Amino acid sequence: GSGTSPMSDQIGLQHSFLAAQAAGMTVSLTQTAEDVMFAGQIELQTATSSTAVADEMREQDLAQFPNDLHICCIDDSAAARRLLHFSLTQWGGTENVHIFGKDETEASEFVRKTVAVGRIAILDQHLEYGGESSLLGTDLVELLVAKQFQGLICMRSGNASAHDMAKYRNAGAHCIFGKDVSMRKMIEDMKVAYVR
């Protein structure tokens, strides 16, 4: 049988030719003395990968992000407020970063300032001030929407399950960032979302 024969049964070549034909290749088989050469040729067009296109679009979006936008943030954590202020002035291209959330009385000031001058709002979901005193970022998002805030609304929360994200979107948030997302990535994604 062919399994023990030192001679080819040509099945391999037949499959190679069929595969090449199915792929639209031009193939040839030539022999010079003892050397047998199988050659296949196919016409290709190079295309930019979708990742490269996406990266280029992202770079264009980042370049179009306007400088000196007013960005209003509210978070109950002093460390998060300092980090937001530092990061947004460092990578956000603006000195106009307005930080709120020291206590619950700042929530109304956050809404007022955001509607008056803000182009981007960044909110924490759980604003807790001890005891019974707490607010939800989604309630503030709904207030911004009711007051016809036209800017970008971003939630930045430690709670980013699918259920939580649906709740944020239903309230009116455009972007959702987990607190595990680096500040630099969050700011770049925010810029892209703002431009688009």
Side-chain angles (χ1 to χ4, degrees):
S2 64
T4 58
S5 169
M7 303 301 291
S8 169
D9 60 10
Q10 297 183 358
I11 297 293
L13 285 176
Q14 288 173 359
H15 284 124
S16 297
F17 277 97
L18 287 172
Q21 187 178 22
M25 293 177 69
T26 304
V27 292
S28 64
L29 184 65
T30 55
Q31 182 172 359
T32 308
E34 293 180 7
D35 296 328
V36 177
M37 170 117 56
F38 176 85
Q41 209 173 8
I42 189 166
E43 192 172 317
L44 298 175
Q45 291 180 332
T46 58
T48 308
S49 76
S50 60
T51 302
V53 169
D55 288 347
E56 185 177 317
M57 288 175 56
R58 183 175 177 87
E59 289 303 315
Q60 289 173 0
D61 289 340
L62 290 171
Q64 291 177 27
F65 186 77
N67 289 327
D68 296 322
L69 287 182
H70 286 265
I71 302 174
C72 299
C73 309
I74 188 165
D75 198 302
D76 60 339
S77 162
R81 290 192 304 270
R82 284 191 303 274
L83 183 61
L84 280 163
H85 188 270
F86 172 81
S87 300
L88 288 165
T89 54
Q90 181 81 18
W91 299 306
T94 185
E95 293 294 322
N96 298 311
V97 178
H98 311 281
I99 302 292
F100 302 90
K102 260 189 307 197
D103 57 52
E104 64 187 303
T105 62
E106 290 194 349
S108 59
E109 179 61 19
F110 164 79
V111 171
R112 188 197 65 70
K113 185 78 165 187
T114 302
V115 171
V117 299
R119 299 304 308 138
I120 298 174
I122 302 174
L123 303 90
D124 182 19
Q125 170 62 352
H126 294 284
L127 302 165
E128 299 173 350
Y129 298 104
E132 301 283 321
S133 187
S134 66
L135 300 166
L136 292 176
T138 46
D139 291 340
L140 298 177
V141 168
E142 288 172 355
L143 271 173
L144 292 172
V145 170
K147 292 181 178 284
Q148 299 179 345
F149 175 65
Q150 298 298 308
L152 182 71
I153 300 173
C154 305
M155 292 297 294
R156 182 174 175 272
S157 179
N159 305 315
S161 70
H163 172 75
D164 291 320
M165 290 171 49
K167 187 170 34 175
Y168 305 152
R169 289 201 193 288
N170 288 338
H174 305 110
C175 301
I176 300 154
F177 303 107
K179 287 198 175 177
D180 58 332
V181 175
S182 77
M183 279 296 197
R184 189 170 207 150
K185 171 121 176 67
M186 181 201 82
I187 291 167
E188 282 190 4
D189 290 350
M190 175 197 74
K191 287 177 170 183
V192 169
Y194 181 84
V195 169
R196 290 188 182 167

